[in-house]
Each structure stands twice: as C-alpha cells, then as structure tokens.
C-alpha cells in the first residue's frame, strides 16, 4: 500500500512505500481514539522525508487519511499521528439556530441533510455529494457531536456515511447499508464463534428512593419483564425477583427519578453476547453494514452493525480488521 505525504496545503510531496507501520481506525464512535491514525518510521526516515506538523497522510480515493497533529520521538522511532477525515467531523458540535431549541431536519434527502448539518464548519476541505442518495431522513439535534449525529440519523433510515478523499476534497455521502444477515457468516465462512448469556448479576426489580425522609420519602418501584418491557405493575415476589435500591436524594422530580430507575434496569439487564471473527472473510464490510451469526451449540443469534474498521500496514502487508456491535 502506498501512502501519500502532502503538506499543510495538501500539496503532494511524495509517496511513502517503506515504513515500520501505519495503522488507522475508522469507527462510529465520536471519541478521538475511534477515528485516528499513526505512522511509525525510523529517526533517519523522519528527517529525510521532512514530515511536519499539520502535514497530511492519506490513501487516495479512500477514507484512510488525515492530518498530523502529534509527533512523538520514542527510542529510535518517530510516531506521527492525528485525526482521520472522519475524526475531524467528530470535533464539531451541532448548535441550534439562534432563538431555536433544536437544529431540525425534516423529510430531507440524506445528502442535502448532511450538507445542512456540516454547513461551513469544516471550510472548503469537506464537501457533500450532490447526488440523490435515494434516502430521506429527519432528525432534531441540540449541541450534539456532528459525526455521531450524522451516523445516528442515517442509521435510522438504513444508510451509512461514506467518506472519501479524492486528492482535493473530503467528499461525504449517504449510502444505503448492506444487510448481510441473510448470510450466516459463522457457518458459510467457517468463522470461529463464541457466545454467552449472562444473567447472574442482572436484576429485574428496582426500588428508587428520591426526596424526603422516612415515610415521606418519594418511592418508585419498577419491574423489567422477560420481554424487556418495563412496568410499574407489581410482579410476583419469588426466587426470580431480583431486587436492588437506587438512592437518589437530590432528584428534582418524580419524572427524573423514574427515568433514572429505568436507566438502571436497562443497564443491569441480562447480557447476551456472540463473537464472530470477521477478519478472514473475503467480504469488504463498510461501517454501518449489518452482519449476523448464530451459535449452533447455545442457539444464540445476533444481528449487529459494523462499528469499527482497523487498517494495519506493516512488513507483513495490509490487513483490515472489523468490529461489530458495542
């Protein structure tokens, strides 16, 4: 794989073909570490190549690339790293227009919606496709991370965000996701699989205590049913009733107390997990594409979106690893 090195003005300087390692992460998360890259080269190579702060490293016509914002000299190695193009989106916040509570997108073609959310916040470097994506979206946003907002908006309507650098601009576009759940990845591609169902540390009954003292204290009881529904209707008190207490004396309202109790019940629900090694298939998954698998031993099944792609290039060649789900 060849990596292009360009200066701060994106004027190409050279092609990098030999280096210790290049690794880039592309994900649906908005944390810095979810969308960044790092190039490792020797001290001599760093000096000879003239790599500097705010320079750019990228693979043309792909989403792999970004701007150097960190340079670290460790032993005989120099590490140059920074946010990817997708990571630069993650550093912007969607603010509502003056006098309004939310920035609202109402029944709009997806690429037009992305353009409306991005606006001029990333200057002329980022552009949005003017093609008709065939996807119509809506959404309301208030001081929300830009990358996360775009991902969540598109995901609701079966689409994903494509990010491609063409040598001049980072082009954003909405693309329909591909659903691979009709392919049993684990069986058709003979992928190793692990699964588990854990409910030993879960509970289904919460007693939430709010303001007040003793018998005057606000009290709410909620139960989580087997189908996941949460109810205030009392359930049987037997060996399957697993109880816990939420102590929240500074709560401001019964509504807030109820919401916090619901959050705790969801947080401590039984956990179902299934792991499949997606990395040795011949499929080129994209962020947001949906995969599925089943464990014939435990009968557990899962359906999750691809949430992370990790590109690694070193002396052994190029490899992309994938992560699905949380």
């Amino acid at each position: 794989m060849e990596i292009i090195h360009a200066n701060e003005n994106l004027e190409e300087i050279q092609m990098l073909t030999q280096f210790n390692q290049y690794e880039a992460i592309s994900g649906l998360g908005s944390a810095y570490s979810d969308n960044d890259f790092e190039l490792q080269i020797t001290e001599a190579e760093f000096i000879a190549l003239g790599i500097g702060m705010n320079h750019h490293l990228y693979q043309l016509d792909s989403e792999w690339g970004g701007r150097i914002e960190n340079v670290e000299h460790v032993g005989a190695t120099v590490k140059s790293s920074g946010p990817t193009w997708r990571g630069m989106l993650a550093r912007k916040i969607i603010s509502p227009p003056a006098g309004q509570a939310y920035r609202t997108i109402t029944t709009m073609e997806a690429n037009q919606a992305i353009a409306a959310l991005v606006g001029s916040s990333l200057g002329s470097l980022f552009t949005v496709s003017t093609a008709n994506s065939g996807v119509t979206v809506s959404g309301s946003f208030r001081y929300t991370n830009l990358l996360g907002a775009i991902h969540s908006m598109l995901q609701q309507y079966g689409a994903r965000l494509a990010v491609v650098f063409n040598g001049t601009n980072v082009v954003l576009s909405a693309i329909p996701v591909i659903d691979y759940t009709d392919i049993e990845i684990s069986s058709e591609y003979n992928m190793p699989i692990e699964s588990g169902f854990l409910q030993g540390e879960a509970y289904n009954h919460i007693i939430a205590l709010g303001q007040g003292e003793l018998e005057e204290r606000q009290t709410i009881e909620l139960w989580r049913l087997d189908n996941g529904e949460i109810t205030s209707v009392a359930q049987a008190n037997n060996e399957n009733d697993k109880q816990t207490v939420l102590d929240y004396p500074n709560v401001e309202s019964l509504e807030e107390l109820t919401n916090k109790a619901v959050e705790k019940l969801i947080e401590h629900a039984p956990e179902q997990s299934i792991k499949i090694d997606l990395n040795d298939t011949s499929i080129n998954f994209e962020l947001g594409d949906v995969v599925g698998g089943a464990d014939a031993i435990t009968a557990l099944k899962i359906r999750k979106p691809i949430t992370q792609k990790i590109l690694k290039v070193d002396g052994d060649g190029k490899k992309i690893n994938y992560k699905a789900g949380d």
Side-chain angles (χ1 to χ4, degrees):
M1 173 182 169
E2 294 180 332
I3 296 174
I4 298 175
H5 169 213
N7 64 18
E8 59 269 27
N9 298 317
L10 283 167
E11 297 165 339
E12 184 177 332
I13 299 173
Q14 60 207 335
M15 298 280 259
L16 307 183
T17 56
Q18 294 185 346
F19 40 84
N20 293 354
Q21 179 177 292
Y22 174 83
E23 184 169 316
I25 299 175
S26 182
L28 299 185
S30 56
Y32 184 90
S33 59
D34 291 325
N35 294 280
D36 67 344
F37 71 91
E38 179 181 274
L39 175 75
Q40 297 184 20
I41 55 179
T42 66
E43 298 167 316
E45 289 169 337
F46 180 77
I47 294 171
L49 294 172
I51 294 176
M53 291 288 285
N54 296 318
H55 284 197
H56 298 82
L57 300 174
Y58 57 86
Q59 182 182 23
L60 195 62
D61 297 324
S62 80
E63 74 166 279
W64 303 115
R67 185 169 62 196
I68 296 171
E69 296 187 357
N70 310 294
V71 175
E72 301 172 87
H73 182 198
V74 182
T77 300
V78 179
K79 301 177 181 179
S80 301
S81 63
T84 61
W85 312 124
R86 200 179 289 262
M88 293 170 74
L89 286 170
R91 301 193 296 192
K92 297 296 183 179
I93 300 296
I94 300 174
S95 299
Q100 298 182 33
Y102 294 90
R103 172 68 61 87
T104 302
I105 299 295
T106 304
T107 317
M108 187 180 295
E109 188 276 322
N111 285 333
Q112 293 181 7
I114 295 171
L117 293 178
V118 172
S120 59
S121 64
L122 289 153
S124 60
L125 175 58
F126 284 72
T127 63
V128 180
S129 170
T130 57
N132 188 333
S133 65
V135 179
T136 301
V137 300
S138 297
S140 295
F141 310 97
R142 178 176 170 81
Y143 301 113
T144 306
N145 173 275
L146 177 60
L147 180 65
I150 293 174
H151 281 320
S152 61
M153 176 181 70
L154 295 180
Q155 198 169 42
Q156 291 181 54
Y157 298 93
R160 64 177 180 83
L161 176 66
V163 179
V164 175
F165 183 63
N166 62 15
T168 303
N169 298 107
V170 180
V171 182
L172 309 178
S173 59
I175 306 290
V177 301
I178 299 176
D179 190 332
Y180 292 97
T181 52
D182 57 339
I183 301 174
E184 283 293 350
I185 303 292
S186 53
S187 58
E188 293 197 24
Y189 288 87
N190 195 29
M191 294 292 98
I193 191 168
E194 300 175 6
S195 70
F197 187 77
L198 309 175
Q199 64 177 16
E201 296 186 28
Y203 52 73
N204 62 308
H205 180 183
I206 189 168
I207 302 169
L209 304 176
Q211 297 178 0
E213 298 291 336
L214 300 175
E215 70 275 7
E216 300 297 326
R217 193 162 188 190
Q218 295 173 328
T219 304
I220 290 175
E221 286 193 65
L222 298 176
W223 289 259
R224 187 187 57 253
L225 306 181
D226 291 341
N227 64 2
E229 179 186 346
I230 294 176
T231 181
S232 60
V233 177
Q235 303 297 302
N237 185 6
N238 54 33
E239 71 279 8
N240 294 319
D241 185 46
K242 301 176 182 179
Q243 304 173 351
T244 190
V245 171
L246 170 64
D247 189 6
Y248 195 9
N250 296 324
V251 68
E252 295 184 0
S253 67
L254 282 174
E255 181 182 8
E256 182 182 353
L257 184 62
T258 301
N259 290 339
K260 183 61 68 172
V262 169
E263 286 179 14
K264 286 294 182 182
L265 275 181
I266 293 174
E267 180 182 343
H268 293 278
E271 294 182 15
Q272 178 176 315
S273 66
I274 190 165
K275 296 180 180 179
I276 308 170
D277 186 350
L278 300 172
N279 302 320
D280 293 324
T281 73
S282 58
I283 301 174
N284 180 26
F285 299 110
E286 298 293 347
L287 290 178
D289 286 346
V290 180
V291 295
D295 187 336
I297 303 301
T298 61
L300 291 178
K301 295 185 177 182
I302 200 165
R303 183 180 186 275
K304 293 288 185 180
I306 299 292
T307 55
Q308 192 175 81
K309 295 176 66 175
I310 303 173
L311 170 68
K312 184 175 182 179
V313 186
D314 55 22
D316 296 326
K318 170 184 173 181
K319 185 173 183 179
I320 297 179
N321 291 331
Y322 302 93
K323 177 182 178 182
D326 300 331

